[in-house]
Amino acid sequence: MNSKTIIVAISFLLCLVSCNNAAHQKQQDGSNPELPILSPKKDGKYQRIADFEFKNQYNQTVTQNTVQGKIYIAEFFFTSCPSICPIVSVQLKEVYTTFKDEASFVILSHSIDPENDTVKVLQDYYTNTLGIDTPSNWQLLTGEKEKVHDLANFSYGTVVYEDLDRLKDNIMHSGALLLVDENGLIRGMYDGKDNTHTKRLIKDVKHLLAALKEKN
């Protein structure tokens, strides 16, 4: 990723963080009980998450249709990450445990190192690291690196790039968790390393699920 592209992606991330923090403050004040829409607009219309097609830990194809009409969390990680990913996975495990029996909820964990994170590697990580031994609503995804990185940077605004100047083969990423509604719109952004954010994320998922059930 070139420097211009990184600047665009970081600007998108900063915009999401700013909007999310302001909206959360309003929620605390009781003046804005609804979750905001954080997705960018184009020609006056909110932009949905771009179409995608990846393979999960069971070598099954996962696309936009998999999460259509559902509430889901998106994150970007890699299995050999020595720093933030293990911390984020602990927080996500708490979210998964809360909603593992919820048919209208999905977690999408996209590998940003798909060259090494094959389907087999993801399956081992799912079973041995996450400690889940049956198929569930937590999908670990792998696919073409450029497509994964573009989705992270320009649909979710979470910033992913390879920083070869600072550390050979290092992949920089934010550790953010993105909450997406049934219409493919971003409704929240959370620090995946912070349990306070995890608690708020769980509360916001419950809010969206309740609203979805009312519609149906």
Side-chain angles (χ1 to χ4, degrees):
M1 180 183 289
N2 60 41
S3 59
K4 183 178 180 180
T5 304
I6 293 172
I7 291 171
V8 172
I10 291 176
S11 297
F12 183 15
L13 172 64
L14 291 175
C15 180
L16 281 180
V17 171
S18 177
C19 292
N20 193 58
N21 287 341
H24 183 231
Q25 184 61 48
K26 288 183 178 180
Q27 283 182 291
Q28 289 179 326
D29 295 341
S31 58
N32 183 19
E34 296 300 323
L35 293 176
I37 296 176
L38 303 181
S39 299
K41 279 187 174 181
K42 183 178 181 181
D43 299 327
K45 295 182 179 180
Y46 287 110
Q47 299 300 290
R48 292 178 169 83
I49 301 302
D51 291 341
F52 58 85
E53 182 176 318
F54 302 121
K55 293 290 187 179
N56 70 6
Q57 67 270 34
Y58 291 102
N59 203 34
Q60 299 165 330
T61 301
V62 175
T63 69
Q64 199 80 356
N65 290 333
T66 306
V67 292
Q68 185 174 0
K70 297 182 179 181
I71 310 304
Y72 74 94
I73 294 169
E75 69 137 348
F76 293 83
F77 82 114
F78 58 110
T79 61
S80 60
C81 171
S83 54
I84 65 173
C85 294
I87 300 172
V88 175
S89 69
V90 170
Q91 300 302 318
L92 262 183
K93 186 68 177 290
E94 182 176 346
V95 179
Y96 162 76
T97 301
T98 303
F99 299 107
K100 64 181 180 179
D101 298 320
E102 177 56 64
S104 297
F105 176 77
V106 181
I107 299 174
L108 299 183
S109 293
H110 309 72
S111 171
I112 56 177
D113 185 23
E115 293 172 348
N116 293 306
D117 285 343
T118 62
V119 168
K120 179 63 168 61
V121 169
L122 290 182
Q123 189 172 34
D124 288 344
Y125 184 87
Y126 179 77
T127 302
N128 299 321
T129 301
L130 298 180
I132 308 172
D133 56 8
T134 58
S136 71
N137 54 7
W138 194 342
Q139 308 280 339
L140 310 187
L141 306 179
T142 188
E144 291 183 35
K145 181 167 67 175
E146 184 176 357
K147 291 182 178 179
V148 175
H149 286 204
D150 282 351
L151 191 70
N153 291 318
F154 302 115
S155 265
Y156 292 105
T158 127
V159 185
V160 171
Y161 64 97
E162 293 180 287
D163 190 357
L164 300 182
D165 293 331
R166 290 180 57 188
L167 181 64
K168 186 178 184 301
D169 297 328
N170 189 34
I171 307 175
M172 306 297 291
H173 60 303
S174 69
L177 303 177
L178 287 301
L179 175 59
V180 184
D181 69 17
E182 72 276 13
N183 298 311
L185 300 176
I186 300 172
R187 303 300 295 274
M189 187 174 195
Y190 312 82
D191 183 350
K193 307 180 298 297
D194 188 332
N195 188 253
T196 301
H197 280 238
T198 302
K199 299 297 186 186
R200 177 157 58 90
L201 171 56
I202 289 173
K203 180 179 177 181
D204 290 347
V205 170
K206 289 179 179 179
H207 175 82
L208 289 183
L209 284 172
L212 180 61
K213 288 175 182 178
E214 280 188 14
K215 292 178 183 178
N216 296 334

